[in-house]
Amino acid sequence: MKIAVLSGKGGTGKTTVSTNLAYMMNFNYVDLDVEEPNGHIFLNPDISETQEVFIPTPVINAEKCTLCGVCANTCQFNALINTGKKILVFEDLCHGCGACSLACPEDAITEYNRKIGDITIGTFAKGKFYSGKMLLQEPMAGPIISDIKKILPVDEDSIIDCSPGTSCNVVKAIDESNYAIMVTEPSKFGLHDLKLAIELVREMKMPLGIIINRSNEYDHLIEDYAASENIPVIGKIPFSKEAAKMYSIGKLLIENEEIKNIFEAIKLSVLKAVKEENHAISHS
Amino acid sequence: MQLVILSGKGGTGKTTIVSSFAYLADQSTIKVDCDVDASNLHLMFNGKDISSSQFSGSKKAIIDSDKCIGCGLCEKACRFDAIIPKDGYYEVMEHRCEGCNACRVVCPADAITLEEEDSGKKIMTVLEDESYLSRASLYPGADGSGKLVSEIRKASLELNKGKNNLIIIDGSPGVGCSVMASITGVEFGLLVTEPTQSGFEDFVRAYELAKHFRIKSYVAINKYDLNEEMADTIERYCDDNGIKVIGRIPYDVVVNKSNFESKPLVMYNDSIAGNEIKNMWNIIKNEMEV
Ligand code: SF4
Ligand code: SF4
């Protein structure tokens, strides 16, 4: 089972929910927020292995190249420019798709592996730990996300901590998950961004539930919307200075008995929803 | 002159600060909301959209099943596992397709075309005080955030042509391609962070990026009193790196109210956080000499 944790915007508590829930449920924890992975801070994993992530990037063999420009016309990302004297390669624009080398009529393009990030693998107290990290000044998160997803053990349960927002990287991260948890805050911004994230999850046809973080007297903003859309609110985590302090020093919130009970209830709702969904699928 | 407000990650109070600055700035100041995934700034101000145009951030491959001969070469060429066999021919899974063209190059039957995806909208909004806000809305899951950010920034620069008004940019969250697009060519940056271990790590990453782009950076620590020890650690880091900390914003419940009522925090005279933001604005204005 794979449970994806999303948030319409950053800083709503997505990593808090992911790490605490992974711990609570004895699931693997997978940090796909590769621009700024933070899960390690809360889970203190023992790292056993680091893998580098590469993308194949073209190299033009000047001896074979006739400057026909087919490669530059083929590339959809403006990564190749034909100056008339030379084909310039703008590596940071390259998606590593290989279209140019397939298109080159002179067989003048080969590829080398360019490093764009790292994957760390290890274990924490309750399961396996995976985390991707993009090198700074590298724009491409997608291949790191795909690479981690390829090495995840298929038949094990995992919590997937996605990047914030609703970008194509989030789609990559939640693809093939069984359930989506949306973490939001009780504010108009929170609601606005939540709606966008829900639109995305609905397109991927996945059951979902909402967690209201920093719950306060304005929760009705989110609750009214959830009710009108028939989406369950599966948990509310109240704001407390104590919780904020625990977070700030990298502690799991479930060390607090009250919050632990909230996560216990969240865990049960998720398990129940996934079970019902599987039931519905096997009967259709 | 361009000022970008950045936070490694969203949710550090960046919108609270940007909306307050936007409120305090004079009417000639142009605002740009680079959070194209979830543009928020306009929710704080009553504005009217004066123009909106379609934006395409990427292309998607389409296979014509009448022409497809089922050879499967496209499936082999696609490095994003976006092509799957279906009933004797092949199909593109739209959400995985990067529009890279590889499949079209190899298709011997000319069955594949690339079509522009409708990825979002570029919008120009005029706010209550008659200042301009350039913003966008990228559809959920769509590609091309970096390109979209560049386009709405271009729109702001065009408005400013021949003038020398201040442009305030609400930067995209993270450190990826859309952030780079929101900070290229900007002179001043305000980095907003929180006194948490994760906030500190994100801040350092964002600062390094800003440094790479030669932006003169300032720092604001939001909710500094939630963990003063960590706030001190961040300040020490700033001292060591010669970055000026221009704001220590206290935790303040009025922020919840301002979020709920969608009004800039500095409009609440009883807000201690709002007062600190006013101070910050005066400092940064002086630093930029506007
Ligand atoms: S591999 Fe693809 S993205 Fe990279 S240069 Fe070649 S055509 Fe362009
Ligand atoms: S355009 Fe590229 S990503 Fe899309 S289906 Fe064809 S080969 Fe795959």
Side-chain angles (χ1 to χ4, degrees), chain B residues 62-272:
Chain B
I62 294 175
I63 302 179
D64 181 344
S65 56
D66 289 337
K67 289 192 183 163
C68 175
I69 54 171
C71 68
L73 286 175
C74 55
E75 187 193 14
K76 284 202 197 78
C78 179
R79 292 186 178 169
F80 307 102
D81 299 324
I83 298 186
I84 45 166
K86 200 189 171 195
D87 310 328
Y89 61 98
Y90 286 82
E91 212 178 58
V92 179
M93 290 165 77
E94 215 190 285
H95 68 272
R96 290 192 187 169
C97 175
E98 306 235 341
C100 74
N101 214 0
C103 53
R104 201 179 63 89
V105 168
V106 297
C107 178
D110 224 355
I112 304 181
T113 46
L114 286 187
E115 269 163 44
E116 294 275 353
E117 178 198 50
D118 183 11
S119 322
K121 284 195 298 256
K122 292 178 274 181
I123 304 162
M124 186 63 79
T125 305
V126 175
L127 306 180
E128 264 171 320
D129 67 353
E130 299 193 335
S131 66
Y132 288 96
L133 166 66
S134 181
R135 63 187 188 99
S137 133
L138 191 68
Y139 298 139
D143 269 324
S145 54
K147 189 173 156 198
L148 185 52
V149 166
S150 305
E151 294 201 7
I152 59 168
R153 282 195 54 204
K154 218 197 287 159
S156 75
L157 291 173
E158 257 153 41
L159 281 176
N160 206 16
K161 216 181 234 156
K163 301 182 198 120
N164 193 17
N165 294 326
L166 175 66
I167 301 180
I168 297 182
I169 302 167
D170 188 357
S172 322
V175 289
C177 60
S178 46
V179 187
M180 293 192 225
S182 45
I183 66 178
T184 17
V186 175
E187 295 94 336
F188 295 95
L190 174 65
L191 301 165
V192 185
T193 182
E194 280 183 352
T196 65
Q197 186 61 38
S198 54
F200 182 37
E201 283 188 18
D202 295 342
F203 156 68
V204 171
R205 257 168 102 73
Y207 167 64
E208 278 170 10
L209 195 69
K211 196 165 84 183
H212 175 79
F213 281 87
R214 294 171 204 283
I215 292 174
K216 175 119 178 74
S217 297
Y218 299 87
V219 171
I221 307 176
N222 193 24
K223 302 186 202 152
Y224 82 93
D225 46 350
L226 285 183
N227 185 341
E228 297 201 23
E229 239 168 90
M230 187 59 75
D232 290 344
T233 308
I234 296 176
E235 291 210 30
R236 233 171 296 129
Y237 175 89
C238 292
D239 272 354
D240 292 346
N241 286 279
I243 322 165
K244 206 165 176 179
V245 178
I246 62 161
R248 291 161 194 83
I249 307 169
Y251 172 75
D252 180 1
V253 279
V254 184
V255 174
N256 289 343
K257 192 166 162 204
S258 108
N259 279 341
F260 177 72
E261 292 174 350
S262 295
K263 284 197 213 133
L265 186 64
V266 284
M267 289 177 70
Y268 300 82
N269 283 328
D270 59 338
S271 167
I272 42 172

Side-chain angles (χ1 to χ4, degrees), chain A residues 4-7 14 18 30-33 160-164 169-170 173-174:
Chain A
V5 182
L6 296 83
S7 68
K14 185 178 51 62
S18 308
V30 187
D31 201 341
L32 294 186
D33 187 356
I160 316 252
D161 190 351
C162 306
S163 50
N169 292 330
V170 179
I174 67 175

Side-chain angles (χ1 to χ4, degrees), chain A residues 228-242:
Chain A
S228 72
E229 292 286 325
N230 244 323
I231 302 168
V233 174
I234 57 171
K236 294 205 235 175
I237 306 168
F239 176 84
S240 73
K241 279 206 167 178
E242 190 202 334

